[in-house]
Amino acid sequence: MESEERLAVFLDYENLALGAREHLGGMTFDFGPIADALAIRGRVVVRRAYADWSFFDEDRRSLTRHQVELIEMPQRMGASRKNAADIKMVVDAIEMAFEREYISTFVMCTGDSDFSPLVHKLRELNKRVIGVGVEQSTSRLLPAACDEFLFYDRLEGVEVPEEGEPTERRGRGRRGAQGSGGGSAKRAATAPPAAGDEPVPSAPPETAAEDETPRSEDAGSLEVLVAQTLAGLQSSTGGSVTASVLKRTLLRKDPTFSESDHGYRTFGDVLRHLAERGLVELSAGPAAGDPEVSVPAHGEREDAFALLRAVVTESDGPVALSSLKNRLRKRRPDFSEKALGYRNFLQFCKDASAGVVDLRWDEDAEDYLLSA
């Protein structure tokens, strides 16, 4: 536990929210994928977001569910208040770097190059700095200044809509529709989707508003949750992952996680069951009862296409795009189109339609259908 990284997260919320809305097809910013990505990298002990929250009234609910402290910085008192949120964020970060030595990593969620001097100063103070920003609204100067930079649109769980998608199908992260400070993501579209559109099932507004679950349905099964977390740890650390580290990371993602809820007595029983199914591999670890866990080696893109074709072929008829990804993950829980270089699942299927499967839009189903 003592070797764990302690992370402090600072969000320049206006930069992120407007960047997602303007450059990611009008989608609403969702902190969830960032929280999951950081859970793999260490223990988050501070989460703060800075903005004039009167402009992001609905967003506050989502951030509160993720235990983010909202720092109110009103912007209605004239031009002198223009950079108030940025200045407050810098002051708090520097103060924390001096006063809380146990914080080893600072996560600056912004694409604004004005924060580059702060990043340099934190690194001078022997702090590791991770940046997070929307790719198209991030200055080229900022990623180079950080120890690591994560583009929000490339994170697992962020479904970037295709260009030309109807606005009613946008603004959906993996946790469903959430309100936005602007009206662009809420407008309904009456025209049917064009050839490049990815349909996303609409949820009733009351369902979205009442949803308090911070984890997606895709990651709902134990196999998918373990495999995705393990793959992320292996990619992030570049080394071996022990069962104890894996369990600790699962608890960071979901503090209520318990193997007993899935019918297992211990976490070791979970790993042995997954190993028997070929979903993980176990080997001797540094301590008795704490084995090393790894994801079995898979091929890259061609292997993923073969998996897609196998799942589609096994079906009695055409398979709807909206249910296909879950079927793939039942066969291979660590499947991720983003790991293969695709922005979203539709883009992966479009690439596969060049000789692997047939892809067509069906007006009656209001969905893409795939057949072998």
Side-chain angles (χ1 to χ4, degrees):
M1 289 289 291
E2 294 304 317
S3 62
E4 279 189 321
E5 294 286 323
R6 263 73 167 186
L7 283 66
V9 183
F10 294 85
L11 292 94
D12 178 9
Y13 195 78
E14 182 176 355
N15 180 276
L16 294 172
L18 296 183
R21 191 174 304 158
E22 294 174 6
H23 299 291
L24 300 182
M27 68 183 298
T28 301
F29 174 78
D30 180 10
F31 180 72
I34 296 178
D36 285 351
L38 297 181
I40 294 170
R41 289 162 172 81
R43 180 184 172 205
V44 178
V45 295
V46 175
R47 303 181 184 192
R48 293 182 181 176
Y50 299 76
D52 181 345
W53 297 109
S54 63
F55 293 112
F56 303 100
D57 187 57
E58 293 296 329
D59 300 53
R60 293 185 297 181
R61 188 181 309 165
S62 172
L63 291 169
T64 301
R65 285 201 293 266
H66 290 289
Q67 292 77 51
V68 177
E69 181 184 0
L70 306 183
I71 307 299
E72 177 71 46
M73 298 302 299
Q75 300 291 322
R76 296 178 176 175
M77 298 177 64
S80 62
R81 302 284 294 174
K82 180 180 179 183
N83 297 319
D86 294 358
I87 295 172
K88 173 65 173 172
M89 186 167 151
V90 170
V91 170
D92 285 356
I94 291 296
E95 180 184 39
M96 197 169 293
F98 280 103
E99 292 189 350
R100 305 185 189 181
E101 294 183 359
Y102 58 85
I103 295 179
S104 56
T105 302
F106 284 75
V107 184
M108 310 309 297
C109 300
T110 181
D112 192 343
S113 62
D114 288 348
F115 287 95
S116 295
L118 169 64
V119 172
H120 291 306
K121 181 56 65 177
L122 289 172
R123 295 183 69 181
E124 285 180 21
L125 296 171
N126 197 30
K127 304 297 184 181
R128 185 167 183 262
V129 181
I130 299 175
V132 183
V134 177
E135 186 168 7
Q136 293 186 52
S137 62
T138 295
S139 166
R140 293 183 181 181
L141 300 175
L142 191 60
C146 300
D147 294 289
E148 181 182 6
F149 200 92
L150 307 175
F151 287 115
Y152 174 75
D153 19 340
R154 299 183 190 178
L155 295 180
E156 185 67 33
V158 178
E159 299 294 338
V160 180
E162 293 279 315
E163 289 297 327
E165 240 179 291
T167 40
E168 68 175 353
R169 301 183 185 277
R170 298 177 180 172
R172 308 227 193 278
R174 56 181 187 166
R175 289 159 180 79
Q178 293 175 352
S180 167
S184 61
K186 298 180 180 179
R187 294 193 298 266
T190 57
D197 299 340
E198 178 179 7
V200 179
S202 298
E206 61 272 14
T207 302
E210 295 173 1
D211 182 13
E212 298 292 331
T213 304
R215 184 152 45 89
S216 67
E217 291 184 0
D218 278 357
S221 72
L222 179 65
E223 293 83 1
V224 172
L225 179 61
V226 172
Q228 284 186 333
T229 304
L230 178 57
L233 279 170
Q234 285 186 320
S235 174
S236 174
T237 63
S240 59
V241 178
T242 62
S244 59
V245 170
L246 177 59
K247 174 67 179 291
R248 199 155 60 235
T249 306
L250 290 171
L251 287 170
R252 288 191 195 121
K253 285 190 171 186
D254 180 5
T256 66
F257 172 81
S258 173
E259 55 272 7
S260 62
D261 293 339
H262 300 273
Y264 297 94
R265 188 172 60 87
T266 66
F267 189 61
D269 292 339
V270 174
L271 296 179
R272 284 189 287 273
H273 172 71
L274 297 181
E276 290 172 359
R277 295 185 55 196
L279 301 178
V280 302
E281 292 179 349
L282 301 178
S283 58
D290 192 14
E292 290 187 0
V293 192
S294 59
V295 177
H298 293 300
E300 294 297 331
R301 196 164 298 189
E302 294 75 13
D303 218 20
F305 286 161
L307 173 66
L308 175 65
R309 182 174 177 82
V311 170
V312 172
T313 302
E314 290 172 1
S315 305
D316 295 332
V319 183
L321 179 74
S322 56
S323 64
L324 183 56
K325 190 171 182 178
N326 283 339
R327 296 193 184 192
L328 293 181
R329 283 184 168 168
K330 286 180 181 179
R331 293 278 294 272
R332 186 185 300 170
D334 65 325
F335 170 81
S336 170
E337 72 280 358
K338 292 184 181 292
L340 299 172
Y342 295 100
R343 289 199 315 159
N344 52 43
F345 188 59
L346 174 59
Q347 190 181 58
F348 167 73
C349 291
K350 283 182 176 180
D351 203 3
S353 66
V356 179
V357 294
D358 292 325
L359 175 70
R360 63 181 178 84
W361 172 260
D362 186 272
E363 291 288 349
D364 296 330
E366 294 187 349
D367 201 349
Y368 283 98
L369 299 181
L370 291 89
S371 55

